[in-house]
Amino acid sequence: QVQLVESGGGLVQPRGSLRLSCAASGSIFNFFAAGWYRQAPGKQRELVATITRDGITNYADSAKGRFTISRDSAKNTVYLQMNSLKPEDTAVYYCNENWGLRSYWGQGTQVTVSS
């Protein structure tokens, strides 16, 4: 089975930056689409950014201009570069990859933006 492992979360000050990664293991080639989601305590999980196998990206309004989603096919890894972080970005971030008939989730990585 496909397994997604996320890393890169942690504590960062406002206006700081973090780069999240989502590495996929297993006998796979590429996904149809991948996305980063986040969920804050007491809030619903929300979509942050998506990317297709062709590199087409889309962003939530809250992420536009600050976040960049990308992928490295050779490393089977999807990234989320987060700049100009705000306290409201604090959440558990999850990677999701869609493989047509199935989708897979990472375990989540905590991002805390606080001074």
Side-chain angles (χ1 to χ4, degrees), residues 2-78:
V2 175
Q3 181 174 294
L4 306 181
V5 179
E6 300 173 355
S7 61
L11 176 64
V12 64
Q13 294 185 346
R15 295 182 289 277
S17 298
L18 284 175
R19 190 188 195 191
L20 307 182
S21 64
C22 177
S25 63
S27 300
I28 57 177
F29 296 98
N30 204 355
F31 48 77
F32 288 107
W36 284 95
Y37 295 73
R38 68 186 182 188
Q39 187 168 24
K43 301 289 186 65
Q44 293 183 332
R45 186 174 298 185
E46 63 176 349
L47 182 64
V48 177
T50 60
I51 187 169
T52 70
R53 65 171 65 185
D54 298 320
I56 301 173
T57 60
N58 193 27
Y59 298 91
D61 288 341
S62 61
K64 290 180 179 178
R66 299 188 300 126
F67 294 2
T68 302
I69 187 171
S70 61
R71 84 274 186 265
D72 187 334
S73 297
K75 296 182 178 181
N76 288 332
T77 302
V78 179

Side-chain angles (χ1 to χ4, degrees), residues 10-18 66-67 82-90 111-115:
L11 176 64
V12 64
Q13 294 185 346
R15 295 182 289 277
S17 298
L18 284 175
R66 299 188 300 126
F67 294 2
M82 303 186 293
N83 299 326
S84 302
L85 284 163
K86 306 173 182 179
E88 50 262 44
D89 294 319
T90 296
V111 172
T112 302
V113 184
S114 176
S115 60

Side-chain angles (χ1 to χ4, degrees), residues 90-106:
T90 296
V92 177
Y93 284 71
Y94 299 89
C95 179
N96 176 269
E97 295 186 2
N98 182 277
W99 294 83
L101 296 178
R102 299 190 64 180
S103 63
Y104 302 87
W105 290 93

